[in-house]
Amino acid sequence: MLKTKINKLHGLLKGRISDDAWQKIITAWEFGQRVHHGQVRKTGEAYAFHGLETAIILAGWGLDSVSIQAGILHDVIEDAGVTKEELAKLFGKNVANIVDGVTKVSKVRLRGSKEALFVENLRKMFMAMSKDIRVVLVKLADRTHNMRTLYALGNSDRLRIAKETIEIYAPLAERLGMGEVKGELEDLAFIYLDLEGYKRIRNESKPYFHRAETVINKMRKRILKDMGENKLEAKINTRKKHLYSLWKKVQRDEIDWDFTKVHDIVAMRIIVARVEDCYASLGIVHSLYKPVPRVGVSDFIAQPKPNGYQSIHSKVFGPRGRIVEIQIRTFKMHEEAEHGVAAHWAYSEAKSKGMGDFILQKKGVVAGNKMSWVKNLIDWQKDIVDTGDYLKAIKLDVLRHRNFVFSPQGDVYDLPTGATPIDFAFAVHTHLGRYIKAAKVNGKIVPLNYQLKSGDMVEIIKTKNPIKPNKDWLTFVTTLIAKREIARNNPNN
Ligand code: MN
């Protein structure tokens, strides 16, 4: 058992890290076993294996050797009484900082009896995140393994952890562009939160999954043949919709449990080397299968989603008029869609080992010179890690694009860069926008054009009676909803 797990980890890292780095990982593993000695998880496994499993998940995401060591050691401060200083001495400052960060994040509890504590903990979590993104990645891997073994816990723990997973960690994974992780976390939580619902969707959807796969397999052969004739190399596979996301979808009014209306229950995925090939593939697909009018094509390559997601989606009429969703992307986009931010760590490490952009491009890792925001973030973070100057790292690009701010009740709002307390008020409720007198951020009065930062707690001080939103606010608000509401209430402008 032990041997196979270590071998698995080694296999995932092979060719990516030096012998020296592997030695450090082994040292961490031996240390972990020693300090966790005698501790047993509810599953009956020795505690140290949990660290090893966490490290294996991280290796699967392509992360660097520092993250792997931190994964192995992530519970030694909290559960084995090791100090941060001790870790720093043995494994270096980076590993120690990540483990310390994970320990702080672990203290986040969902809606305990004390709201204020919950808010404070969430803020700590985002602060920890902003220092080193690897803290969150280790935490997500930790949570993934905990969810996979949640069956071993008692009922009330299961419920609490599953709820926390679906409310905090799954959305976090999504924001970080880690679609696969988000899907797995949600499906695992679903089992514990609503077993009846889970069973129902699983059973009722079965024949539809089966049918969609049969249709797609037929289409796959035709498309591959035509692509071959056009000298386009592609990998075609299928993506089954995760059960939790399917469950949410069938409950929408326009679907109302009619599975034939869920066109992406199984989607076809065409993966090619270059961006040009994506468009060429789209041409081939449309010459064989007509796109569905109006809902047809979404080009998320030309216009990526806010979390960086890129692909072309097209709904086409397949055999016997059945509508099928086809997703076309490059290998690099695919890697990013599955592993998000983590994929960029893999990239930056390969690059630091002297692989030029050209080689990475040939391997399908990088598309041209186009730098996505995540890659910028990673490059920028690497500088900080290199100089060890953590204080400058308070801002994280992920959070610069999407600022997480809190209401005094602990609700989290996700606002774009430059958002102000006015934007916050309208995001909470359009109604609240008519009662803005002043705003407090982290307990202090701020000007209304104050730019919110992640982790800020925002409180709107209300007027007694509703007032007309000031048209001058239009010069600094950033969200559409605020702009629309202010303009609507100032019709002469
Ligand atoms: Mn853990």
Side-chain angles (χ1 to χ4, degrees):
M1 179 99 128
L2 183 146
K3 253 238 132 80
T4 47
K5 278 181 187 173
I6 284 287
N7 284 343
K8 193 171 171 191
L9 181 62
H10 193 236
L12 287 165
L13 294 169
K14 225 170 163 181
R16 277 213 293 120
I17 63 166
S18 63
D19 291 347
D20 196 41
W22 176 247
Q23 255 333 298
K24 283 186 191 154
I25 289 168
I26 290 295
T27 310
W29 165 235
E30 286 166 356
F31 181 82
Q33 279 177 294
R34 201 162 60 241
V35 299
H36 283 302
H37 184 76
Q39 296 178 333
V40 177
R41 294 246 288 160
K42 293 256 165 64
T43 53
E45 264 197 329
Y47 201 99
F49 280 119
H50 165 60
L52 188 55
E53 292 285 2
T54 302
I56 288 170
I57 292 170
L58 290 163
W61 296 345
L63 288 181
D64 65 331
S65 60
V66 168
S67 311
I68 306 291
Q69 291 174 69
I72 291 171
L73 300 167
H74 78 269
D75 277 328
V76 302
I77 292 181
E78 174 135 43
D79 295 319
V82 177
T83 65
K84 185 181 172 186
E85 291 66 36
E86 213 175 322
L87 275 184
K89 223 163 54 198
L90 289 167
F91 303 100
K93 220 169 116 187
N94 288 336
V95 172
N97 280 328
I98 295 170
V99 174
D100 185 51
V102 173
T103 308
K104 289 193 178 116
V105 171
S106 300
K107 300 217 166 89
V108 174
R109 290 279 178 264
L110 184 76
R111 313 244 158 98
S113 48
K114 295 181 189 115
E115 287 290 349
L117 196 67
F118 172 71
V119 176
E120 190 48 37
N121 281 333
L122 262 185
R123 290 184 52 195
K124 264 192 218 147
M125 174 163 144
F126 290 116
M127 284 305 151
M129 260 179 78
S130 62
K131 285 183 190 156
D132 190 328
I133 186 79
R134 289 175 294 185
V135 169
V136 196
L137 298 175
V138 173
K139 187 61 209 172
L140 279 174
D142 168 45
R143 179 52 60 116
T144 301
H145 185 243
N146 283 339
M147 287 305 292
R148 286 178 188 170
T149 52
L150 197 61
Y151 61 86
L153 296 190
N155 225 351
S156 71
D157 281 340
R158 281 181 188 172
L159 266 179
R160 175 179 59 78
I161 293 170
K163 206 164 168 218
E164 190 179 82
T165 298
I166 224 153
E167 290 190 5
I168 296 180
Y169 291 100
L172 193 58
E174 184 176 28
R175 293 289 143 65
L176 297 171
M178 306 173 79
E180 215 16 70
V181 179
K182 175 210 168 223
E184 182 181 354
L185 288 177
E186 281 182 345
D187 276 7
L188 286 166
F190 189 19
I191 297 171
Y192 300 100
L193 292 174
D194 180 6
L195 185 60
E196 288 306 308
Y198 176 82
K199 280 185 182 160
R200 179 176 174 200
I201 194 85
R202 192 192 53 191
N203 295 337
E204 289 188 25
S205 64
K206 214 172 256 168
Y208 297 94
F209 272 112
H210 185 74
R211 225 163 60 188
E213 276 176 327
T214 315
V215 168
I216 286 178
N217 277 331
K218 273 192 201 136
M219 295 169 70
R220 182 174 181 266
K221 284 184 195 135
R222 262 187 90 182
I223 292 172
L224 276 177
K225 184 169 158 277
D226 268 34
M227 290 187 80
E229 282 163 8
N230 285 279
K231 305 226 163 9
L232 270 171
E233 239 181 90
K235 233 174 103 174
I236 299 186
N237 54 35
T238 53
R239 189 278 289 135
K240 289 170 84 171
K241 200 168 185 64
H242 279 279
L243 287 178
Y244 182 71
S245 105
L246 181 60
W247 181 74
K248 278 201 306 198
K249 194 159 189 172
V250 294
Q251 290 181 83
R252 289 195 209 153
D253 284 345
E254 73 271 22
I255 307 244
D256 194 22
W257 288 86
D258 180 354
F259 286 86
T260 62
K261 288 184 183 157
V262 184
H263 305 309
D264 66 341
I265 186 164
V266 181
M268 179 192 291
R269 226 169 233 168
I270 301 179
I271 309 173
V272 292
R274 300 170 308 168
V275 174
E276 310 78 288
D277 301 342
C278 293
Y279 293 99
S281 309
L282 184 69
I284 287 169
V285 167
H286 284 176
S287 71
L288 294 170
Y289 306 99
K290 293 266 161 296
V292 178
R294 276 186 292 276
V295 297
V297 188
S298 314
D299 186 350
F300 299 118
I301 292 180
Q303 271 181 318
K305 289 189 182 179
N307 69 1
Y309 177 84
Q310 287 190 297
S311 276
I312 300 169
H313 290 191
S314 179
K315 284 190 175 154
V316 302
F317 291 110
R320 280 190 274 149
R322 202 158 273 149
I323 297 174
V324 174
E325 181 170 312
I326 299 189
Q327 305 174 348
I328 306 173
R329 49 174 75 158
T330 63
F331 286 99
K332 183 203 167 221
M333 291 169 193
H334 182 60
E335 185 54 26
E336 279 178 18
E338 303 277 299
H339 298 136
V341 172
H344 288 276
W345 268 103
Y347 163 81
S348 64
E349 204 175 43
K351 200 172 176 184
S352 71
K353 284 203 319 206
M355 292 168 82
D357 266 341
F358 179 69
I359 297 167
L360 289 166
Q361 252 180 60
K362 277 187 84 175
K363 293 184 82 183
V365 184
V366 189
N369 300 319
K370 205 164 156 269
M371 305 244 287
S372 71
W373 59 271
V374 189
K375 184 176 166 307
N376 283 331
L377 154 70
I378 295 306
D379 285 351
W380 169 84
Q381 273 221 338
K382 247 180 93 63
D383 291 344
I384 292 153
V385 172
D386 289 347
T387 59
D389 192 355
Y390 275 66
L391 287 177
K392 282 189 195 152
I394 294 303
K395 270 272 176 184
L396 173 71
D397 213 49
V398 175
L399 304 180
R400 215 184 298 150
H401 281 252
R402 313 298 307 172
N403 283 317
F404 297 90
V405 301
F406 301 90
S407 75
Q409 287 74 39
D411 298 318
V412 185
Y413 292 86
D414 181 7
L415 297 170
T417 315
T420 63
I422 309 272
D423 294 291
F424 169 82
F426 283 105
V428 173
H429 201 288
T430 51
H431 191 68
L432 182 58
R434 307 218 44 192
Y435 287 85
I436 302 171
K437 185 176 175 190
K440 275 186 181 174
V441 168
N442 305 326
K444 286 197 193 107
I445 295 276
V446 295
L448 289 175
N449 64 356
Y450 173 90
Q451 301 212 342
L452 297 169
K453 297 186 300 290
S454 272
D456 279 348
M457 192 216 283
V458 194
E459 187 182 343
I460 299 297
I461 298 165
K462 287 164 75 175
T463 53
K464 224 173 177 170
N465 299 306
I467 54 156
K468 196 172 84 164
N470 189 331
K471 70 176 189 326
D472 295 340
W473 294 347
L474 283 171
T475 59
F476 58 77
V477 296
T478 58
T479 53
L480 276 177
I481 180 155
K483 283 181 187 161
R484 195 187 64 208
E485 287 299 310
I486 297 166
R488 205 167 60 87
N489 286 288
N490 290 281
N492 298 328
N493 293 276

